[in-house]
Amino acid sequence: QVRGAAFEFVAPAFRADREITGAAVRTCGSALEFAAPALQADREITMAAVRNKGSALQFAAPALRGDPEVVLAALRSDGRSLQFVTREIRADRNIILAAARSDRGRYRERHVPAEESFLA
């Protein structure tokens, strides 16, 4: 098994292998950064990554950064993941509440431009 932190150094063919990538992101969510683009767009792979490390959301395909379920999983892991979500999802009250209630990392107004902030 490839440890997630070593995933950066594996051959491109392995980065496109769903089983290997899944194992890597479950041990180190940030391994999603080095996954093949098709796997960065894979909902199951991305969910595993953000459950391990919320900030892995930044490496997900744009469509998944706007998927409420994926975003909520990331926020449960790390509220600071809010900075990686789409503009549209930032308008969702439940998303903002999840970020504010996150145990790891608190919502910081600096992650959302003032004109979009719910505090403004």
Side-chain angles (χ1 to χ4, degrees), residues 18 21 32 35-47 59-65 67 70:
R18 194 167 192 282
T21 299
L32 187 62
L39 293 177
Q40 290 174 331
D42 182 294
R43 194 168 191 278
E44 187 177 329
I45 295 290
T46 298
M47 285 292 282
F59 307 118
L64 294 175
R65 287 187 269 129
D67 179 311
V70 172

Side-chain angles (χ1 to χ4, degrees), residues 1-12 14-15 20-21 23-25 27-35:
Q1 177 179 347
V2 176
R3 306 259 326 155
F7 196 60
E8 173 181 4
F9 305 106
V10 303
F14 294 127
R15 293 182 194 187
I20 292 172
T21 299
V25 300
T27 61
C28 178
S30 295
L32 187 62
E33 177 180 6
F34 305 105

Side-chain angles (χ1 to χ4, degrees), residues 32-120:
L32 187 62
E33 177 180 6
F34 305 105
L39 293 177
Q40 290 174 331
D42 182 294
R43 194 168 191 278
E44 187 177 329
I45 295 290
T46 298
M47 285 292 282
V50 301
R51 284 180 178 140
N52 177 270
K53 184 170 184 168
S55 63
L57 186 63
Q58 68 187 300
F59 307 118
L64 294 175
R65 287 187 269 129
D67 179 311
E69 189 176 346
V70 172
V71 169
L72 286 171
L75 293 173
R76 282 185 204 107
S77 174
D78 186 347
R80 295 170 295 176
S81 300
L82 185 64
Q83 65 188 305
F84 306 118
V85 306
T86 61
R87 171 173 273 169
E88 295 78 23
I89 204 90
R90 287 183 187 169
D92 184 316
R93 185 174 190 276
N94 291 327
I95 297 295
I96 300 303
L97 283 173
R101 292 177 177 153
S102 175
D103 289 337
R104 293 180 56 204
R106 295 289 178 209
Y107 174 84
R108 302 269 194 268
E109 189 171 353
R110 65 185 166 89
H111 291 306
V112 181
E115 65 274 7
E116 296 178 33
S117 173
F118 71 91
L119 299 175

